């Protein structure tokens, strides 16, 4: 039987393994995970007995891949949608409503006045006076929008909204990769405002369909369920075995893993590389040098999640909705906060007298913030929350989770880079890459990329079988 090795036990690698294991004539599959646990950026714990997600906490439900996988591994009955997703924006002295936008790009100029001020809102309205954008090549979304609508839009709307996904800088993030629908519209739309209005209309047609989904007890439960499902299907899962090098042999691949002084060698007919860009670049250095060089150039932002538990009776009544985002220009420590007890009914129920909330800290280029001790990060997050929402409550429990190199940065030209990586990898039959570094950082996109890598590998194995017969 053919053997496929999947390198990396995050959601992308596990999704690839699942797609292979549930397809026709499944091969022998081994997942190699370098760390002691599966899941990568999906991880969970409990704070004062209340389950919490330490990394990702929801999936996009507007596209099917993640929700389908949750159902496929038996968690369909625990699939839930947020009780509220109305986040605010901490600008100036209070939390304000986020005006309608497409990823921070305004739809209705008048509605931006509370956040941007009257003069800046006026400038947004005049965007339609400019020549049509006629975008033909990728640009930094923040710069492009600032040029047309004013820098306040980039600073106060795009930065926090995109920052929530990439922990990156709006002035460096690729428009084509980060907001592809809007980017595509700008080839033909007469203005940015016309394009956002059109997309908004499309979005309204889908009104009522939930945008996000979660799992009772935390999205991280998907990992345990996948592990059980894969194991039951005969997939071998090995943790604490980091791959360092992949090379070609006469009839397949050899992987060198484990510590340098005592390496483990494994052979495979096909390999799926499902690790972040830096380790992927290193392990592919000899096999696909062109892809390796491209991957080495993908930057990552580091961040931390500070999870806090307070008593529900101390929760300030003015703190409504699911939380808030914070523009970098506001100079606060936290860049967002999610009220988990308000967003997820299961969290409110599990919490009993306790309310759990989380705050994220750190953006690209702000690694110094993460040099602080856990206690200091908790103190700073609590201080920001006190100012923002009047949370005077005693913190009765806390957890700080650091995500060094947590989120890949899609710089201008990212999609061209990914095309080049994929073209180089396609030159090695039986090899596939997938993960957050390529065509979407969200879990749903990662699941899709894992499934696509599995298809590529399966096609190779089918071709091998045809040659043998
Ligand atoms: C704090 C945070 C919050 C987020 N929130 C959300 C959210 O709410 N919703 C959402 O959709 N997305 C969210 N994301 C993004 C999303 O979680 C990630 O992009 C996604 O989980 C990445 O999955 P992956 O499998 O591609 O990579 P990873 O999760 O990084 O997994 C890669 C795995 O490969 C392993 N590995 C690395 N090197 C080697 C090696 N040499 N050999 C073997 N194994 C190796 C790693 O240990 C890791 O387990 C969040 C990300 C972060 C950091």
């Amino acid at each position: 039987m053919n053997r496929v090795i999947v390198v990396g036990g995050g959601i992308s690698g596990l999704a690839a393994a699942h797609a292979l294991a549930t397809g026709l004539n499944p091969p022998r599959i081994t997942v190699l995970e370098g760390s002691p646990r599966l899941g990568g950026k999906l991880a969970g714990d409990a704070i004062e007995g209340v389950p919490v997600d330490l990394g990702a906490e929801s999936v996009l439900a507007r596209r099917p891949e993640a929700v389908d996988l949750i159902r496929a591994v038996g968690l369909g009955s625990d699939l839930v949608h947020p009780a509220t997703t109305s986040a605010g924006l901490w600008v100036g002295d209070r939390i304000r409503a986020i005006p309608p936008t497409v990823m921070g790009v305004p739809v209705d100029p008048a509605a931006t006045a509370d956040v941007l001020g009257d003069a800046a809102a006026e400038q947004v309205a005049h965007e339609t006076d400019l020549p049509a954008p006629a975008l033909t090549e990728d640009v930094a979304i923040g710069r492009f929008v600032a040029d047309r609508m004013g820098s306040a839009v980039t600073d106060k709307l795009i930065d926090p909204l995109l920052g929530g996904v990439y922990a990156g800088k709006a002035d460096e993030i690729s428009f084509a990769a980060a907001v592809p629908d809007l980017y595509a519209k700008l080839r033909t739309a007469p203005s940015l405002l016309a394009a956002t209005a059109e997309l908004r209309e499309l979005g309204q047609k889908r009104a009522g369909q939930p945008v996000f989904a979660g799992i009772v007890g935390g999205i991280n439960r998907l990992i345990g369920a996948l592990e059980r499902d894969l194991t039951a299907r005969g997939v071998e899962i090995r943790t604490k075995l980091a791959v360092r090098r992949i090379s070609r042999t006469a009839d397949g691949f050899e992987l060198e893993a484990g510590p340098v002084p005592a390496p483990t060698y494994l052979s495979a007919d096909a390999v799926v590389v499902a690790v972040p860009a830096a380790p992927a670049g290193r392990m592919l250095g000899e096999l696909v040098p062109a892809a390796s060089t491209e991957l080495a150039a993908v930057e990552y932002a580091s961040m931390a999640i500070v999870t806090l538990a307070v008593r529900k009776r101390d929760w300030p009544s003015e703190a409504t909705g699911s939380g808030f985002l914070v523009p970098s220009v506001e100079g606060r420590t936290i860049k967002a906060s999610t009220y988990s007890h308000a967003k997820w009914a299961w969290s409110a129920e599990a919490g009993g007298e306790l309310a759990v909330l989380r705050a994220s800290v750190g953006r690209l280029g702000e690694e110094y913030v993460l040099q602080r001790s856990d206690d200091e990060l908790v103190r700073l997050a609590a201080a920001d929350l006190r100012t923002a929402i009047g949370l005077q409550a005693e913190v009765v429990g806390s957890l700080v989770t650091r995500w060094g190199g947590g989120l890949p940065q899609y710089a201008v030209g990212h999609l061209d880079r990914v095309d080049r990586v994929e073209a180089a990898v396609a030159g090695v039959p039986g090899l596939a890459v997938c993960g957050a570094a390529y065509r979407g950082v969200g879990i749903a996109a990662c699941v899709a990329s894992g499934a696509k890598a599995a298809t590529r590998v399966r096609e190779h194995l089918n071709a091998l079988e045809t040659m043998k017969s």
Side-chain angles (χ1 to χ4, degrees):
M1 191 191 279
N2 288 315
R3 183 189 197 188
V4 179
I5 294 185
V6 176
V7 185
I11 189 63
S12 304
L14 296 178
H18 186 264
L20 284 166
T22 52
L24 269 185
N25 303 325
R28 191 178 144 213
I29 305 163
T30 302
V31 177
L32 300 180
E33 164 56 43
S35 79
R37 64 159 194 94
L38 294 178
K41 275 65 178 198
L42 275 75
D45 201 340
I47 181 165
E48 302 296 307
V50 188
V52 290
D53 278 310
L54 300 174
E57 52 102 51
S58 65
V59 298
L60 208 52
R62 277 229 170 117
R63 49 187 292 180
E65 299 89 346
V67 169
D68 286 353
L69 185 60
I70 290 169
R71 291 202 176 98
V73 295
L75 291 176
S77 56
D78 285 346
L79 201 53
V80 286
H81 299 292
T84 168
T85 49
S86 74
L89 205 56
W90 186 11
V91 171
D93 59 350
R94 63 189 165 85
I95 310 291
R96 297 160 198 261
I98 303 181
T101 72
V102 174
M103 251 334 201
V105 187
V107 173
D108 172 7
T112 63
D114 184 41
V115 166
L116 305 182
D118 291 339
E122 185 74 13
Q123 189 178 349
V124 174
H126 284 296
E127 190 268 335
T128 51
D129 301 341
L130 299 174
L135 259 187
T136 52
E137 63 176 31
D138 196 11
V139 290
I141 181 168
R143 284 191 205 160
F144 177 81
V145 176
D147 284 349
R148 291 191 69 92
M149 294 183 156
S151 57
V153 175
T154 293
D155 291 347
K156 295 196 176 155
L157 288 170
I158 298 178
D159 167 273
L161 277 142
L162 272 185
V165 182
Y166 297 98
K169 293 188 175 148
D171 278 350
E172 288 166 22
I173 292 175
S174 152
F175 200 154
V179 198
D181 293 356
L182 185 55
Y183 178 75
K185 284 254 171 285
L186 291 180
R187 286 176 189 277
T188 52
S191 68
L192 197 44
L193 277 172
T196 53
E198 215 180 301
L199 284 174
R200 180 82 179 164
E201 212 173 291
L202 277 176
Q204 273 163 352
K205 286 198 186 127
R206 290 186 302 207
Q209 289 173 21
V211 179
F212 297 103
I215 299 173
V216 171
I219 203 73
N220 69 84
R221 284 184 58 216
L222 174 58
I223 299 302
L226 264 166
E227 183 176 7
R228 284 189 293 280
D229 184 282
L230 292 173
T231 308
R233 292 176 194 279
V235 174
E236 180 193 21
I237 296 176
R238 297 178 67 175
T239 53
K240 296 194 230 169
L241 196 55
V243 173
R244 281 182 284 109
R245 194 169 54 85
I246 305 175
S247 46
R248 203 90 177 89
T249 59
D251 55 357
F253 298 90
E254 183 187 71
L255 288 80
E256 187 179 327
V260 176
T264 300
Y265 293 95
L266 301 102
S267 57
D269 299 287
V271 180
V272 174
V273 175
V275 300
R282 284 195 294 272
M283 68 184 74
L284 294 174
E286 283 171 34
L287 187 59
V288 209
S292 170
T293 314
E294 296 283 0
L295 287 166
V298 178
E299 263 196 288
Y300 275 71
S302 298
M303 58 193 295
I305 300 287
V306 180
T307 311
L308 305 173
V310 298
R311 289 189 189 84
K312 270 186 193 150
R313 62 162 196 254
D314 295 334
W315 187 253
S317 56
E318 62 272 29
T320 54
S322 62
F324 60 88
L325 302 168
V326 194
S328 322
V329 288
E330 295 294 314
R332 310 291 181 179
T333 303
I334 62 174
K335 62 181 183 129
S337 177
T338 303
Y339 315 146
S340 307
H341 66 286
K343 184 168 178 182
W344 303 108
W346 63 261
S347 176
E349 200 175 310
E353 312 225 302
L354 295 181
V356 169
L357 68 157
R358 51 190 237 159
S360 48
V361 179
R363 293 178 174 87
L364 183 70
E366 282 184 9
E367 284 69 21
Y368 60 91
V369 178
L370 304 179
Q371 307 292 322
R372 298 168 190 272
S373 68
D374 286 6
D375 284 352
E376 215 174 332
L377 286 179
V378 168
R379 197 177 50 72
L380 287 167
D384 268 359
L385 286 159
R386 197 155 44 242
T387 315
I389 58 172
L391 184 70
Q392 305 291 345
E394 177 199 352
V395 171
V396 295
S398 64
L399 278 173
V400 174
T401 314
R402 290 161 198 274
W403 294 104
L407 285 162
Q409 300 300 295
Y410 289 181
V412 175
H414 179 79
L415 295 178
D416 291 339
R417 183 191 298 289
V418 173
D419 285 343
R420 292 193 295 274
V421 170
E422 289 177 347
V425 168
V428 184
L431 179 69
V433 292
C434 63
Y438 304 93
R439 298 185 186 277
V441 300
I443 292 169
C446 289
V447 171
S449 82
K452 194 171 143 199
T455 302
R456 215 179 107 68
V457 156
R458 210 170 15 231
E459 282 166 1
H460 172 69
L461 298 181
N462 289 343
L464 282 185
E465 287 306 313
T466 314
M467 268 161 53
K468 278 188 210 157
S469 60

